[in-house]
Amino acid sequence: MLRRRQVLALGAFLALFGLAAGAPALADTTLLNVSYDPTRELYKDVNAAFATYWKNKTGETVTVKQSHGGSGAQARAVIDGLDADVVTLALAGDIDAIAKNSKKIPADWAARLPHNSAPYTSTIVFLVRKGNPKGIKDWGDLVKDGVQVITPNPKTSGGAQWNFLAGWAWALKQHNGDEAKAQAYIAALYKNVPVLDTGARGSTTTFVQRGIGDVLLAWENEAFLAIDELGPNTVEIVVPSLSIKAEPSVALVDGNVDAKKTRAVAQAYLEFLYTDEAQKIIAKNYYRPTKPEAADPKDLKRFPSLTLVTIDDFGGWAKAQPRFFLDGGVFDQIYKPGK
Amino acid sequence: MTSIGLAGGWRIKQPSVIPGFGLALGFTLTYLSLIILLPLAGVVWRTASLGWSGFWAIALDERTVSALKTSFGTSLVAAAINVPFGVLVAWVLTRYRFPGRRILDAIVDLPFALPTAVAGIALTALYAPNGWIGGLLAPLGIKVAYTPLGIVIALIFIGLPFVVRTVQPVMEELSRESEEAAATLGANRWQTVRRVILPGLMPAILTGFALALARAVGEYGSVIFIAGNIPYVSEIAPLLIVIRLQEFNYAGATAVAAAMLIVSFAMLLAINLIQAWSRRRYGYGG
Amino acid sequence: MAADTSPSRGPIVSPSFTGATTEHKATRWTLTLIAVSFLLLVIVLPLVSVFAEALSKGFATYLAALIEPDAMSAIRLTLTVTIIAVPMNIVFGVAAAWAIAKFEFKGKALLTTLIDLPFSVSPVISGLVYVLLFGAGSVLGPWLKAHGVEILFAVPGIVLATIFVTFPFVARELIPLMQEQGTTDEEAALSLGASGWQTFRFVTLPNIKWGLLYGVLLCNARAMGEFGAVSVVSGRIRGATTTLPLHIEILYNEYNVVAAFAVASLLALLALLTLGLKAAMEWRYGAEIAAATRH
């Protein structure tokens, strides 16, 4: 056993040197896509399709490496020097942060690709226990006594910020634009939250596997995936009367692709996301395609139609983030003791 | 009983015939500075950019104080539980022979080896209302997972080996002669344990306590899964650091980090001083 | 370890012999029972649940999770990091313990406290410090990068974070032991004309051998299992900078709970294996250990 470990160890050393020596030579055909948590399954499929597409088009072999994590944490890693060729994050706000703090992405990045650089969208829905025992139909039911709501922490999760904003938008409409009432609603909502996980995936696990809570606020794609992977017979989706159009955005990291000389292939990768082929994969993975005509109609049928507000109704991320989520924002205010 | 420490004098190092002081200390200080102090200085540097008033505003902010309280409070409880049980485990493992002892002895180190995230997931699975243990406690109205109690459970798991492994080698070293002498002089077993064995173990017990406490205060991976993370209730200080980082607020994050560093450094220093004192008081064993 | 030779210490012991230095049979049984139940509850149960989850879909699935390429690359990276980090901390631990345990000097408590510090530094901060030191926003990071040296989000950063986290293990294991042993043996050796190195090699080292081994095992186990600090500096590039614990997290987040626990059980097994190795050595060299620790 000891000998085997030594052999492994030797192998490890060689691998290390191989890694160090091999990295620059491989750079022109390896891309790094730094993404957020729920896109793992999506990009596994997209990357395979892109590799074939690129091979057919140019004859070059390209490997796309993936890095997944909380959207904000991933943005910070890129700011701190992670060599991402492209970023595909949960919020435009996180890409703005990279642009602002590292200057590796120009400030007008969103205008460089169609649909505000969002090749797919999603929305926020409710996941409830099978048969909906608490009779949860809409946002108003979430603040009732004895209803436990599971949602991640907006401080650490991008998806949780969409959850928060969707709830706010509903309350604002319900109370004819009275912001004080909307804030009271949000405060009551978060009073019913027993666990604030750090990420969307953690919340899904808490809800489905640990059996905590009556309703999970989730990305639509996460809700579908959770039913597929974890519990077709234990949970079901409830569509609220109003939700938000969540736009996960993508961007080329100019500072890195220029240093690594991968601009052409990285740009092609992002443009590939808008092709019919990729849009089909996107719909299959429960994201709403921006080009629905390219998707399989069977996949499209799964998406319920509902009224959606957008981030622009909040004045864009540049306004929404400091107001609601940064230090001292609405989310901090509702947790102040004595409120 | 040799005790170099008894000699007085105000020089930096007291005279000794043993060689290698310069080399050993020099290497220790260099390595310590490069690996620990220089990087930590970065935290202080960033915090310093806030200025004193800025630092205190963050350190004394209600949210920070409550997170620090949660972290230190649960860590203290966990370490206090680990001391009697850890010493008992060490005692049983060194003094008694029973089937399965070696396996148990080996297994004590498991919390070191198990990635903290896995420990967190496993403990949450066990203590959630639908878990093996949580299911037993739920009908009694006891909630463990997603409450501060859950944090304590995770920290007991993380801290136990520190107490056992610090106390165990010293316990093995304890000379049987002094115990026999005490018994010959008419002490009963309890008196021998209390008056002869425990004082000899005291430095090690304190070290174990300090290490378990110190480790628990900073623990992140295992706690976030089981804690619930509700601000002002079950939000730990390391999570607050992560939250501040997520807001791209490096100064805020390092300020909380620095506050934690100061408190745990003060605690560790106090315990090490007590330990040094008790070693002078009781002398060396062996 | 000296206990091995005496039959009087087990809970099961002949009633005719109740030595003055042991407890009543009932006390021994009770104490053993409490200790064993505590260990079962706190440590064994979580361990069992890891294996139960890992094997819940059968052995084939379990094995498949381990030989998959990303898992293999994580195993390689974890071993690489451990092989660099542990020896460095061994050398440091012995030197620090020698200075602290064998000499009396001013500022000793301060030094000991500084050595303990990485224990209390949150893993989140341990990673953060290197980000602050080598990140794109620092002075050092861009300069090193311009000269082709990658630290952050590459292997060196992971090694540094691991060294930071496992820094005190060996030293902490040796200091109380060497303090307990005092300096008598070394003084005797020196007075008999041994050189400093000889004294260390033939007197101190055999005395601390087993404590050192414990320290190395702990350091090793923690180095392999560290999550928080490494996750901050790794960049989580799948198949390149993911260590075993990070790979476990990735799998868990992909709803691949069985595979996650399978890889976790590998770390647990690895720890149990090294600890078993230690137990086997103690059994084989029991007499020697007893001689080394009995004065």
Side-chain angles (χ1 to χ4, degrees):
Chain A
M1 217 55 222
L2 202 65
R3 174 160 303 168
R4 209 167 127 208
R5 270 188 67 188
Q6 284 165 342
V7 172
L8 267 178
L10 193 69
F13 256 118
L14 293 177
L16 173 70
F17 289 119
L19 208 74
L26 283 171
D28 57 343
T29 48
T30 304
L31 289 183
L32 177 58
N33 177 359
V34 171
S35 194
Y36 64 112
D37 261 327
T39 56
R40 293 159 197 271
E41 293 76 14
L42 170 66
Y43 280 110
K44 204 178 261 176
D45 293 352
V46 167
N47 292 348
F50 178 69
T52 319
Y53 163 84
W54 193 248
K55 181 95 187 168
N56 291 339
K57 195 177 168 196
T58 65
E60 279 176 25
T61 309
V62 59
T63 325
V64 184
K65 289 204 176 271
Q66 284 296 138
S67 167
H68 293 278
S71 191
Q74 295 291 79
R76 218 179 49 249
V78 175
I79 292 169
D80 285 326
L82 181 60
D83 263 338
D85 298 277
V86 298
V87 286
T88 53
L89 297 176
L91 312 171
D94 286 329
I95 301 183
D96 283 338
I98 301 176
K100 192 171 134 219
N101 292 302
S102 76
K103 311 270 180 255
K104 282 183 178 167
I105 299 176
D108 64 343
W109 62 269
R112 295 194 296 178
L113 286 164
H115 301 287
N116 272 332
S117 288
Y120 43 84
T121 65
S122 189
T123 184
I124 301 301
V125 296
F126 302 165
L127 201 63
V128 297
R129 307 273 167 217
K130 194 81 191 171
N132 199 356
K134 295 262 167 135
I136 292 159
K137 297 268 173 356
D138 204 357
W139 291 97
D141 299 320
L142 303 185
V143 293
K144 285 186 181 155
D145 275 346
V147 173
Q148 284 197 321
V149 184
I150 303 296
T151 173
N153 193 337
K155 293 282 191 174
T156 51
S157 155
Q161 298 192 1
W162 292 114
N163 292 348
F164 181 105
L165 293 177
W168 180 275
W170 177 85
L172 207 58
K173 193 178 162 216
Q174 193 74 7
H175 298 293
N176 302 315
D178 186 335
E179 297 206 332
K181 285 198 171 136
Q183 180 154 345
Y185 167 80
I186 285 288
L189 172 61
Y190 279 87
K191 274 232 164 60
N192 280 351
V193 177
V195 190
L196 285 170
D197 283 287
T198 48
R201 283 281 156 106
S203 282
T204 313
T205 311
T206 300
F207 182 73
V208 180
Q209 294 197 317
R210 306 277 163 263
I212 304 274
D214 304 303
V215 53
L216 171 77
L217 309 185
W219 290 97
E220 183 181 50
N221 54 295
E222 278 286 284
F224 277 117
L225 198 66
I227 290 177
D228 271 6
E229 303 253 343
L230 298 170
N233 301 314
T234 55
V235 289
E236 61 186 52
I237 291 177
V238 167
V239 182
S241 67
L242 180 135
S243 193
I244 192 162
K245 184 180 179 189
E247 293 172 301
S249 314
V250 303
L252 191 72
V253 187
D254 299 58
N256 290 343
V257 292
D258 288 344
K260 289 162 76 179
K261 305 198 174 23
T262 48
R263 181 182 275 274
V265 59
Q267 181 70 33
Y269 178 72
L270 290 183
E271 281 163 7
F272 177 75
L273 293 173
Y274 291 89
T275 61
D276 289 1
E277 189 184 357
Q279 289 287 315
K280 197 170 177 170
I281 297 173
I282 282 165
K284 202 176 173 161
N285 280 281
Y286 306 112
Y287 285 86
R288 296 184 175 216
T290 45
K291 223 194 218 175
E293 62 277 12
D296 190 335
K298 214 166 65 226
D299 291 337
L300 287 179
K301 260 219 239 120
R302 299 180 301 196
F303 299 120
S305 62
L306 71 172
T307 320
L308 297 175
V309 296
T310 70
I311 187 66
D312 294 331
D313 295 321
F314 295 86
W317 281 112
K319 280 220 176 100
Q321 229 156 12
R323 177 172 174 208
F324 293 106
F325 306 118
L326 289 190
D327 198 15
V330 173
F331 183 74
D332 281 343
Q333 290 164 27
I334 63 171
Y335 269 105
K336 271 261 188 275
K339 278 230 168 182
Chain B
M1 287 277 184
T2 326
S3 190
I4 322 176
L6 287 179
W10 290 99
R11 274 164 302 176
I12 287 189
K13 165 185 166 279
Q14 292 175 13
S16 164
V17 291
I18 310 234
F21 177 74
L23 181 69
L25 190 70
F27 178 76
T28 302
L29 290 179
T30 312
Y31 191 76
L32 182 78
S33 308
L34 282 179
I35 299 286
I36 307 293
L37 299 182
L38 181 67
L40 283 182
V43 171
V44 178
W45 178 254
R46 284 279 180 143
T47 313
S49 71
L50 283 171
W52 269 116
S53 54
F55 170 72
W56 284 116
I58 292 174
L60 298 179
D61 171 67
E62 239 178 314
R63 182 93 173 264
T64 315
V65 169
S66 123
L68 288 173
K69 265 192 204 154
T70 308
S71 276
F72 283 96
T74 50
S75 303
L76 266 173
V77 174
I81 292 173
N82 269 331
V83 161
F85 281 104
V87 171
L88 179 67
V89 167
W91 179 263
V92 168
L93 288 178
T94 44
R95 290 295 172 108
Y96 302 155
R97 292 296 169 269
F98 54 92
R101 184 190 66 93
R102 281 194 195 286
I103 298 173
L104 278 186
D105 192 11
I107 245 166
V108 167
D109 286 328
L110 193 81
F112 285 137
L114 211 58
T116 50
V118 177
I121 294 165
L123 288 171
T124 314
L126 277 177
Y127 286 94
N130 62 1
W132 294 350
I133 299 179
L136 296 176
L137 296 175
L140 307 173
I142 304 172
K143 273 202 244 167
V144 180
Y146 313 118
T147 68
L149 191 59
I151 307 181
V152 172
I153 297 278
L155 297 181
I156 290 176
F157 177 84
I158 295 296
L160 180 69
F162 284 92
V163 179
V164 178
R165 290 306 185 221
T166 329
V167 173
Q168 209 176 10
V170 180
M171 215 175 246
E172 279 165 5
E173 287 288 308
L174 282 183
S175 71
R176 306 284 288 186
E177 286 84 355
S178 47
E179 283 176 57
E180 279 156 16
T184 317
L185 292 171
N188 67 28
R189 191 59 191 151
W190 174 235
Q191 285 171 325
T192 312
V193 169
R194 211 164 62 87
R195 299 280 175 83
V196 178
I197 299 175
L198 271 185
L201 291 178
M202 228 33 216
I205 292 177
L206 273 171
T207 309
F209 175 80
L211 296 183
L213 180 67
R215 175 79 169 79
V217 165
E219 180 53 24
Y220 177 73
S222 62
V223 175
I224 45 162
F225 288 98
I226 203 169
N229 306 325
I230 302 294
Y232 300 105
V233 177
S234 49
E235 183 178 70
I236 52 166
L239 176 63
L240 196 58
I241 297 176
V242 173
I243 288 176
R244 292 289 174 249
L245 283 176
Q246 227 74 316
E247 297 166 351
F248 303 105
N249 183 355
Y250 279 76
T254 50
V256 180
M260 274 181 80
L261 275 179
I262 293 168
V263 181
S264 39
F265 179 79
M267 278 193 331
L268 284 175
L269 186 65
I271 287 164
N272 276 325
L273 286 171
I274 296 172
Q275 208 192 320
W277 170 83
S278 85
R279 193 172 311 110
R280 275 197 300 276
R281 167 92 167 65
Y282 296 107
Y284 295 108
Chain C
M1 292 306 124
D4 277 334
T5 51
S6 165
S8 70
R9 308 211 180 103
I12 315 150
V13 58
S14 67
S16 58
F17 186 86
T18 347
T21 57
T22 190
E23 296 78 29
H24 286 295
K25 194 177 171 185
T27 318
R28 286 201 303 267
W29 273 109
T30 318
L31 292 181
T32 310
L33 202 68
I34 297 174
V36 170
S37 340
F38 184 74
L39 282 181
L40 285 178
L41 185 71
V42 171
I43 294 178
V44 178
L45 206 58
L47 179 69
V48 170
S49 78
V50 167
F51 280 95
E53 288 274 6
L55 293 168
S56 63
K57 293 256 172 74
F59 192 72
T61 323
Y62 176 80
L63 209 63
L66 297 183
I67 55 173
E68 175 252 345
D70 283 344
M72 290 308 285
S73 119
I75 293 172
R76 271 197 304 275
L77 178 61
T78 297
L79 287 175
T80 312
V81 169
T82 311
I83 284 164
I84 302 170
V86 173
M88 290 190 66
N89 279 337
I90 293 176
V91 175
F92 162 76
V94 172
W98 181 266
I100 288 171
K102 302 290 180 194
F103 301 95
E104 287 298 322
F105 56 92
K106 289 266 144 56
K108 194 154 120 173
L110 181 72
L111 182 60
T112 320
T113 308
L114 285 176
I115 290 174
D116 286 344
L117 206 54
F119 277 138
S120 70
V121 174
S122 176
V124 177
I125 307 177
S126 320
L128 178 65
V129 294
Y130 290 107
V131 172
L132 292 180
L133 199 62
F134 296 112
S138 69
V139 184
L140 215 52
W143 184 82
L144 284 172
K145 192 157 187 167
H147 289 76
V149 183
E150 297 262 7
I151 299 222
L152 224 48
F153 310 117
V155 178
I158 300 176
V159 171
L160 276 176
T162 306
I163 291 179
F164 187 102
V165 170
T166 56
F167 182 82
F169 275 87
V170 178
R172 254 304 159 199
E173 198 62 39
L174 289 182
I175 291 168
L177 180 65
M178 281 165 78
Q179 273 172 340
E180 195 61 39
Q181 285 173 345
T183 48
T184 335
D185 291 356
E186 283 80 7
E187 279 161 358
L190 289 164
S191 70
L192 291 170
S195 74
W197 172 247
Q198 284 171 326
T199 309
F200 174 75
R201 172 72 187 77
F202 297 106
V203 178
T204 313
L205 203 56
N207 273 344
I208 61 167
K209 191 162 61 182
W210 302 105
L212 184 63
L213 187 65
Y214 272 118
V216 172
L217 286 174
L218 297 189
C219 186
N220 189 56
R222 183 95 163 89
M224 289 185 173
E226 176 51 26
F227 170 75
V230 170
S231 77
V232 178
V233 295
S234 115
R236 298 155 190 261
I237 306 169
R238 205 171 171 157
T241 61
T242 46
T243 60
L244 278 176
L246 290 176
H247 186 61
I248 292 168
E249 195 223 10
I250 287 179
L251 291 172
Y252 188 75
N253 275 334
E254 284 171 3
Y255 299 126
N256 203 342
V257 180
V258 174
F261 277 102
V263 179
S265 76
L266 185 71
L267 277 175
L269 270 181
L270 218 65
L272 290 177
L273 200 81
T274 39
L275 295 167
L277 207 73
K278 185 201 81 185
M281 276 197 291
E282 276 172 6
W283 176 74
R284 187 158 167 206
Y285 303 107
E288 190 195 320
I289 303 168
T293 51
R294 201 190 288 136
H295 297 281

